Amino acid sequence: MGRVIRAQRKGSSPAFKSHTFHRKGAAKLRSIDFAERHGYIKGVVKDIIHDPGRGAPLAVVHFRDRYKYGLKKELMVAPEGLYTGQYIYCGKKAGVTVGNVLPVGQMPEGTVVCQIEEKKGDRGKLARASGNYATIVSHNPDANKTKVKLPSGNKKTISSFNRAMIGIIAGGGRVDKPILKAGRAYFKYKAKRHSWPRVRGVCM
């Protein structure tokens, strides 16, 4: 009998489940609706909060519900420079300022963006880690395609109707500070999942 290796244990053992109890919720852009497709909608940043296990802060943004009386509270990853009380605008006709969300086809080339949708309407999948950003490289208006440079350096062609938030994700420079001691690594991964300390496979 050989050993049950770590990758196999991760599938069946409850010890490797991610620690999600204190997390604040899924951080996404607004669900796309008529207002975003044809004009814009204004929201106000009510709070900027820490999310355990995530390097970047989250912004709590309140929008008016377009279809019935009340507010819709959205949780988004905060870009650098966002502050409480700030108005942000989401939609095709929103301005090119930090925090606004608009289709990548409406942005000039060279714009620095984050939380890009990989497919139209998926509410933001690319460039979401702290300090990360993507750059808009070029547009092809005939095919409705836009080329973006991702944080990895790869270039990806996506639909020009995919939305993105303007700016760099906050919390950059997090990895520049050395961890220095085991206790800090312990608490870092305590908030994430059981992936530390990591025993080398050769010494098992």
Side-chain angles (χ1 to χ4, degrees):
M1 288 290 289
R3 189 176 178 86
V4 178
I5 62 170
R6 187 189 293 123
Q8 291 172 319
R9 288 187 292 133
K10 282 190 174 179
S12 59
S13 164
F16 292 99
K17 281 202 287 196
S18 57
H19 302 163
T20 55
F21 186 79
H22 293 288
R23 299 211 181 158
K24 301 297 183 273
K28 297 181 177 183
L29 303 176
R30 282 183 82 245
S31 289
I32 195 158
D33 58 2
F34 185 88
E36 281 210 38
R37 276 196 299 271
H38 298 283
Y40 65 85
I41 181 169
K42 181 171 86 166
V44 60
V45 180
K46 282 289 182 187
D47 201 6
I48 291 176
I49 55 176
H50 169 68
D51 189 21
R54 187 195 295 267
L58 297 182
V60 180
V61 188
H62 288 194
F63 293 93
R64 262 193 45 221
D65 195 320
R66 304 294 293 212
Y67 301 106
K68 62 179 194 289
Y69 178 75
L71 290 174
K72 281 222 166 152
K73 295 168 186 152
E74 300 287 345
L75 207 56
M76 303 179 182
V77 184
E80 227 166 76
L82 202 74
Y83 54 88
T84 51
Q86 180 178 345
Y87 290 121
I88 65 170
Y89 299 88
C90 301
K92 182 183 171 186
K93 297 193 174 160
V96 182
T97 42
V98 171
N100 286 2
V101 177
L102 52 157
V104 289
Q106 303 291 322
M107 302 175 188
E109 292 169 7
T111 309
V112 168
V113 293
C114 56
Q115 295 189 77
I116 310 171
E117 292 184 324
E118 206 163 8
K119 296 185 177 66
K120 185 186 171 188
D122 69 13
R123 303 178 70 183
K125 292 279 184 277
L126 308 170
R128 290 161 50 97
S130 56
N132 272 9
Y133 63 90
T135 313
I136 290 178
V137 178
S138 61
H139 296 296
N140 181 354
D142 304 327
N144 285 326
K145 297 287 184 194
T146 297
K147 190 181 267 190
V148 293
K149 186 178 179 211
L150 299 175
S152 62
N154 286 1
K155 291 191 175 70
K156 187 177 176 76
T157 304
I158 58 173
S159 164
S160 295
F161 301 116
N162 294 6
R163 296 169 300 160
M165 183 180 269
I166 293 175
I168 299 173
I169 299 284
R174 174 174 54 85
V175 294
D176 297 344
K177 183 180 178 184
I179 291 179
L180 286 179
K181 54 184 199 165
R184 287 196 191 137
Y186 169 79
F187 286 112
K188 174 184 171 180
Y189 289 104
K190 186 171 184 243
K192 291 176 183 279
R193 67 201 69 80
H194 173 54
S195 57
W196 184 92
R198 196 173 185 87
V199 178
R200 292 171 306 133
V202 293
C203 60
M204 286 187 181

